Amino acid sequence: AVVSRRVRASGRTQMFLQVFATSLVLLFLGEAAVGILAFVMKDRVRGVVEEHMFEAIKSYRDDSDLRDAVNVAQRTFQCCGVRNFTDWQENVYFKCCNEGIESCGVPYSCCNMSLQVNLFCGVKIMEYETEEYCKNTAKYVPMSHLKDGYGKGERIYETGCL
């Protein structure tokens, strides 16, 4: 009687092992397929990701959860914006045409701070004549218009996250 129970138990165990092994193989094949698709369609994937990142920049002040996610990403990856820090000109609060305190600036998460977080370190970091830029909205504020002491990673991250 003891032997027949062991045989039944080992048969059940073998069935569970086969189900587990099949699940692992299917999971691996699925991951491989997703990886291959991402590689083949990398330009399209990059375009979709870039579009969503720009939407996040535009909506930065509208959604606190989104703002926190953007801040964590920029601090973790030590980057600013999508392509570079001038992408923050897409946000109405940071745009140089704006008269607010954050105009011509970037969020604090773009700042290169080792120990202490300064929420105002990205305020008014660019020097720029706003009239020409505000009339031609397709034109970006050039990267060369950072105030002295801000460029080359001294005070802010200049490179984008994508």
Side-chain angles (χ1 to χ4, degrees), residues 7 32 49 65 92 107 127 151:
V7 170
V49 170
D65 292 333
V92 294
E127 296 178 318

Side-chain angles (χ1 to χ4, degrees), residues 50 53-54 57 74 80-84 87-88 159-162:
E50 185 174 300
M53 288 175 74
F54 270 110
I57 284 176
Q74 288 186 151
C80 186
V82 180
R83 289 179 242 123
N84 59 55
D87 294 335
W88 283 98
T159 56
C161 297
L162 188 59

Side-chain angles (χ1 to χ4, degrees), residues 54-160:
F54 270 110
E55 286 301 316
I57 284 176
K58 289 176 184 175
S59 304
Y60 179 78
R61 288 281 181 230
D62 301 334
D63 182 351
S64 62
D65 292 333
L66 179 65
R67 181 176 58 235
D68 292 343
V70 169
N71 286 337
V72 167
Q74 288 186 151
R75 299 283 299 146
T76 302
F77 299 117
Q78 298 181 342
C79 57
C80 186
V82 180
R83 289 179 242 123
N84 59 55
F85 71 94
T86 63
D87 294 335
W88 283 98
Q89 293 299 299
E90 293 288 323
N91 183 287
V92 294
Y93 296 99
F94 296 104
K95 194 173 206 146
C96 284
C97 298
N98 182 8
E99 295 295 323
I101 190 172
E102 294 178 316
S103 68
C104 279
V106 294
Y108 77 92
S109 57
C110 288
C111 297
N112 185 358
M113 298 173 290
S114 55
L115 296 174
Q116 187 176 8
V117 174
N118 176 355
L119 297 178
F120 296 102
C121 68
V123 172
K124 306 262 189 223
I125 62 166
M126 292 180 258
E127 296 178 318
Y128 195 70
E129 293 293 327
T130 59
E131 287 181 30
E132 181 184 342
Y133 172 72
C134 293
K135 289 177 184 172
N136 182 3
T137 56
K139 187 175 182 181
Y140 278 92
V141 174
M143 289 183 68
S144 60
H145 284 72
L146 274 173
K147 286 183 179 176
D148 288 337
Y150 281 88
K152 299 181 184 118
E154 292 176 38
R155 301 269 297 271
I156 68 162
Y157 304 119
E158 296 178 56
T159 56

